Amino acid sequence: MKDERHVFFEDVREKAITARSSKKKPHRGGCRVPQYTAKEIREMSGPVHKIDLGKPIAYADFKAQPETLQKEYVKNILANYKVGMSAIADLLGVPVSTCTSRLHKLGFSFPRGFKPVREDLERFREDFGLTERVAPTKKKMTLENVQLCFTGILDAGQLAKQLRTFVPENQLCRISIAVEVVEPEPSATEPATVESA
C-alpha cells in the first residue's frame, strides 16, 4: 500500500511541476503568415474587371470584358426589362446585326417575331438615358443662287432644259440672264485686211 501511495504522489508531483513550468514559458501567436505589399498582391492577382450593371457601356468596353461579365450584363437587362436586340444594340451603340452576332456567341437568342413590351422599352430607355430612335429625315436643299456661263452657239431649248434641273417645280424664282454677243476673234492664220480710203 505504501508503494502504491508513493507512486501516486510522485506522479502527481511530476505533473504539477510540468504544469507550472509550461505556464512560465511565453506563448507564441500561432503560425506566422507572410506579409505581402499591395504591389505584390496586385502582381499575384489577375486583372480586375469592373462593369456597372445599371449604366450604359460602349461596345468596345463591353467586348473587352470577359464573357462571364458580358453575360451578366445582358442577363441583368433581360431580367429587368422585356426588350429585344434592337434596344440592346442602341444601348451599346452598334448596328443590330453586330449586336445580334455578339449575343448569339454569348448564348442569347430571341424567338422570331419577338416584340418588346412598350412600357419596359420606355422604362429601359429612360433608365439608361437613351433617346427614342427617330427615322432620319431627308434634308431639303434650298437653291439660293445659280450662275451659268457658257460660250458657243446659243441653243435656247438646251438652256431651258438645264434651268429646269436646278429649279424645282411650282416654286417661285427669279431668273436673270445677261447675254453678251461676242464677235469671233481673227485667227492667226488668216491675213489681216487693211482698208484704205
Side-chain angles (χ1 to χ4, degrees):
M1 181 86 172
K2 237 179 180 185
D3 289 336
E4 291 171 0
R5 226 173 139 188
H6 177 66
V7 170
F8 172 73
F9 284 121
E10 189 67 30
D11 186 44
V12 170
R13 189 173 68 78
E14 284 177 7
K15 286 181 181 176
I17 291 170
T18 305
R20 280 193 302 270
S21 65
S22 69
K23 285 181 183 175
K24 291 177 185 176
K25 287 183 181 179
H27 287 287
R28 301 277 178 205
C31 178
R32 290 181 64 87
V33 178
Q35 297 292 322
Y36 295 109
T37 63
K39 182 181 177 186
E40 290 172 332
I41 290 172
R42 280 195 302 271
E43 288 173 355
M44 288 188 293
S45 302
V48 177
H49 297 280
K50 183 181 172 187
I51 192 167
D52 192 349
L53 297 177
K55 291 191 177 174
I57 186 171
Y59 183 69
D61 297 336
F62 176 76
K63 201 171 175 186
Q65 301 291 339
E67 285 193 1
T68 53
L69 282 180
Q70 292 177 23
K71 286 180 183 178
E72 285 301 315
Y73 188 74
V74 176
K75 275 183 189 174
N76 180 58
I77 290 171
L78 296 177
N80 294 321
Y81 313 96
K82 290 187 175 25
V83 294
M85 296 268 191
S86 60
I88 297 171
D90 285 346
L91 175 67
L92 297 175
V94 291
V96 178
S97 58
T98 306
C99 181
T100 303
S101 64
R102 187 74 202 148
L103 293 183
H104 280 306
K105 285 179 186 174
L106 294 174
F108 294 99
S109 62
F110 292 89
R112 279 192 183 274
F114 175 80
K115 296 225 179 202
V117 178
R118 185 157 182 78
E119 292 80 23
D120 278 350
L121 189 59
E122 289 171 2
R123 192 167 49 89
F124 170 76
R125 287 187 174 134
E126 185 180 315
D127 290 350
F128 284 95
L130 300 172
T131 56
E132 193 167 344
R133 194 170 24 165
V134 180
T137 56
K138 292 182 180 179
K139 291 183 180 179
K140 288 187 176 181
M141 284 183 50
T142 55
L143 187 64
E144 292 182 1
N145 202 351
V146 176
Q147 183 176 0
L148 298 173
C149 180
F150 66 94
T151 56
I153 299 171
L154 177 65
D155 183 1
Q158 191 66 23
L159 178 63
K161 188 176 179 184
Q162 287 295 325
L163 283 174
R164 240 184 244 123
T165 59
F166 289 115
V167 180
E169 289 185 29
N170 300 329
Q171 184 169 346
L172 293 174
C173 61
R174 181 185 315 161
I175 300 174
S176 301
I177 299 177
V179 178
E180 182 182 344
V181 178
V182 180
E183 291 290 327
E185 296 180 10
S187 62
T189 56
E190 292 180 9
T193 57
V194 179
E195 293 183 10
S196 59

